[in-house]
């Protein structure tokens, strides 16, 4: 079996299946030889030598495939050693059951290494097996039922080889599909990351920079004719630069909030721990979700961060809880951030809240919408605030 461009899939599969075949064959052959040893009337040393040879040979073969799996790309040496070992087993077992078991294992190993191209080897082994059967039938004259089973043994070896070849091909195909799925998922994740960063830049820094650009264009013409306006434009540019710097810093901090390679509970625990260390507010996270799609976990992490920022600025809270859980059937994930702070009077829609200065809630609602979710804010003066976000999931996640 030759190497491929699909991440060297074939050698890995062939080495793994080859080890499985060798171990299974060794177990069955040693078991049959041991059974023969138990009933042997004469020359039991041959079976003792046979068992020792099988154990030693199998140990060496498995060790080679484990240490150098790419050796399966050059199967001639392996199959040559197999042929020598098969002849030794034939001589020591005198054509007994251990020989036929070992021959079937050799055929299966050839199927793993060569696939359907192993048919000449299978034919040679079958011919050898039939010759052994004819010799046994002439010397022992067994019952008809025993003769039928004996003649079927070489055919069973060929079938074992075919089954191994088919299994290897199917497993290689499945591994290739899995690798393709992983590659597609990685490309999708990279595209989502670029789109998310572009959206963040457009919604924050890009807007501020456009305002600064307009003010900078109008500034030269206003310096002499309208000094007061020029002063206002210069102030706007200065404020815009400071705002853009702050927005860029917040954007970078937000991108660092969530790492897809990190467990979700670890991410939220770290977020709550930093908030608690900075503010002195008792903060705890309860996460009942193993993992979520990357866009969903990113936006929910940003919403949790924004909710904690609002609590720090306005709530005067003593206790905060962050809870992330699935609905009963896993069709949606919910994020709840609850505090025992001052609360406020909740009225109007998002535009009204924005006019009243509740920009954080508006931003959280916009983030929830980007992942198909919704937000609900429950609050009363003196009774704290609860931010509840619900996001539907395409499939069940446990």
């Amino acid at each position: 079996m030759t190497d491929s461009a699909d991440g060297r899939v074939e050698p890995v599969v062939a080495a793994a299946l080859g080890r499985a075949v060798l171990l299974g064959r060794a177990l069955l052959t040693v078991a049959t030889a041991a059974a023969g040893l138990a009933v042997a009337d004469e020359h039991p040393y041959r079976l003792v030598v046979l068992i020792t040879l099988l154990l030693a040979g199998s140990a060496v073969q498995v060790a080679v495939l484990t240490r150098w799996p790419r050796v399966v790309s050059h199967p001639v040496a392996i199959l040559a050693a197999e042929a020598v070992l098969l002849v030794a087993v034939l001589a020591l077992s005198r054509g007994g059951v251990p020989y036929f078991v070992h021959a079937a294992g050799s055929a299966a190993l050839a199927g793993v290494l060569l696939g359907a191209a192993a048919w000449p080897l299978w034919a040679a082994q079958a011919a050898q097996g039939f010759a052994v059967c004819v010799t046994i039938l002439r010397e022992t004259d067994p019952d008809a039922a025993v003769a039928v089973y004996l003649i079927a043994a070489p055919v069973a070896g060929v079938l074992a080889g075919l089954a191994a070849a088919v299994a290897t091909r199917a497993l290689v195909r499945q591994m290739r599909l899995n690798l393709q799925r992983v590659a597609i998922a990685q490309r999708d994740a990279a595209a989502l990351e670029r789109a998310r960063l572009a959206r963040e830049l457009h919604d924050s820094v890009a807007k501020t920079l456009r305002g600064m650009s307009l003010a900078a264009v109008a500034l030269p013409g206003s310096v002499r004719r309208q000094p007061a306006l020029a002063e206002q434009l210069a102030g706007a540019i200065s404020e815009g630069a400071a705002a853009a710097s702050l927005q860029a810093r917040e954007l970078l901090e937000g991108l660092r909030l969530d790492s897809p390679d990190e467990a979700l509970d670890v991410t939220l625990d770290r977020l709550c721990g930093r908030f608690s260390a900075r503010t002195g507010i008792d903060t705890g996270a309860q996460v009942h979700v193993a993992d979520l799609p990357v866009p969903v976990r990113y936006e929910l992490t940003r919403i949790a961060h924004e909710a904690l920022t609002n609590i720090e600025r306005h709530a005067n809270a003593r206790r905060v809880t962050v809870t992330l859980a699935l609905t009963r059937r896993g069709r949606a994930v919910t994020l709840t951030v609850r505090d025992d702070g001052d609360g406020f009077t909740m009225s109007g829609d998002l535009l009204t809240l924005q006019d009243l200065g509740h920009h954080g809630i508006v931003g959280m609602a916009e983030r929830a919408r980007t992942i198909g979710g919704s937000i609900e804010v429950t609050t009363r003066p003196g009774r704290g605030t609860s931010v509840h976000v619900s996001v539907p999931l395409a499939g069940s996640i446990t």
Side-chain angles (χ1 to χ4, degrees):
M1 179 170 290
T2 58
D3 197 0
S4 72
D6 295 39
R8 297 177 296 276
V9 171
E10 290 92 338
V12 173
V13 174
L17 289 180
R19 289 194 298 269
V21 168
L22 289 171
L23 291 173
R25 184 190 65 183
L27 179 62
L28 292 175
T29 309
V30 169
T32 56
L37 182 62
V39 298
D41 294 329
E42 58 180 7
H43 305 301
Y45 68 89
R46 289 186 295 100
L47 295 178
V48 174
V49 174
L50 174 60
I51 292 173
T52 304
L53 177 64
L54 289 172
L55 291 175
S58 298
V60 171
Q61 289 173 310
V62 171
V64 169
L65 288 180
T66 302
R67 181 65 179 85
W68 299 287
R70 289 183 62 82
V71 73
V72 299
S73 299
H74 308 283
V76 175
I78 298 176
L79 296 178
E82 270 296 302
V84 173
L85 186 58
L86 182 61
V87 171
V89 172
L90 173 60
L92 291 171
S93 67
R94 294 186 176 180
V97 176
Y99 161 73
F100 290 106
V101 172
H102 192 87
S106 295
L109 183 62
V112 169
L113 297 177
L114 299 176
W119 69 265
L121 185 59
W122 296 336
Q125 289 183 354
Q128 184 185 54
F130 282 121
V132 172
C133 290
V134 170
T135 302
I136 294 175
L137 291 174
R138 287 177 176 175
E139 293 179 354
T140 61
D141 191 22
D143 294 338
V146 175
V148 169
Y149 284 112
L150 191 61
I151 295 297
V155 178
V158 175
L159 294 177
L162 286 171
V166 171
T168 303
R169 184 173 181 179
L171 188 55
V172 167
R173 185 184 299 111
Q174 185 61 43
M175 287 192 65
R176 285 176 175 172
L177 290 175
N178 290 340
L179 289 174
Q180 290 174 2
R181 292 190 186 102
V182 170
I184 291 172
Q186 290 175 340
R187 288 195 296 269
D188 289 346
L192 287 172
E193 185 70 18
R194 289 193 295 269
R196 186 171 64 200
L197 180 58
R199 185 180 68 250
E200 298 281 3
L201 289 171
H202 177 269
D203 292 342
S204 56
V205 181
K207 291 181 178 179
T208 303
L209 292 177
R210 280 198 297 271
M212 293 172 57
S213 176
L214 293 175
V217 169
L219 180 60
S222 305
V223 170
R224 296 181 179 179
R225 296 191 298 272
Q226 296 176 292
L229 177 59
E231 184 178 354
Q232 292 178 0
L233 292 174
I237 294 173
S238 177
E239 293 175 359
S245 176
L246 177 62
Q247 290 165 351
R249 185 167 62 252
E250 290 178 346
L251 175 59
L252 291 176
E253 291 176 354
L255 292 174
R256 296 190 188 103
L257 281 177
D258 181 39
S259 173
D261 297 330
E262 185 179 60
L264 191 52
D265 57 343
V266 175
T267 298
L268 289 179
D269 280 339
R270 185 181 70 250
L271 178 64
C272 293
R274 290 179 178 177
F275 173 79
S276 183
R278 185 175 67 252
T279 62
I281 300 173
D282 184 14
T283 308
Q286 301 175 8
V287 180
H288 307 291
V289 180
D291 203 359
L292 293 170
V294 173
V296 175
R297 63 175 286 165
Y298 172 79
E299 296 297 349
L300 289 180
T301 304
R302 292 300 305 269
I303 290 172
H305 178 263
E306 184 61 36
L308 292 175
T309 301
N310 288 346
I311 293 171
E312 180 181 1
R313 293 174 178 173
H314 310 295
N316 295 318
R318 297 181 301 275
R319 171 69 180 167
V320 177
T321 58
V322 178
T323 305
L324 188 67
L326 294 174
T327 58
R328 179 170 300 178
R329 295 187 178 181
R331 294 179 178 176
V333 60
T334 60
L335 171 69
T336 303
V337 183
R338 183 177 292 107
D339 69 77
D340 61 355
D342 295 341
F344 58 93
T345 300
M346 184 72 182
S347 62
D349 55 15
L350 293 179
L351 292 176
T352 304
L353 291 174
Q354 188 168 8
D355 293 338
L356 295 175
H358 298 293
H359 302 288
I361 295 177
V362 176
M364 287 186 284
E366 291 174 348
R367 288 189 178 278
R369 281 200 300 269
T370 63
I371 50 177
S374 59
I375 187 170
E376 180 182 355
V377 180
T378 304
T379 182
R380 288 177 60 187
R383 297 293 183 89
T385 302
S386 176
V387 176
H388 183 82
V389 180
S390 179
V391 180
L393 298 174
S396 176
I397 296 179
T398 57

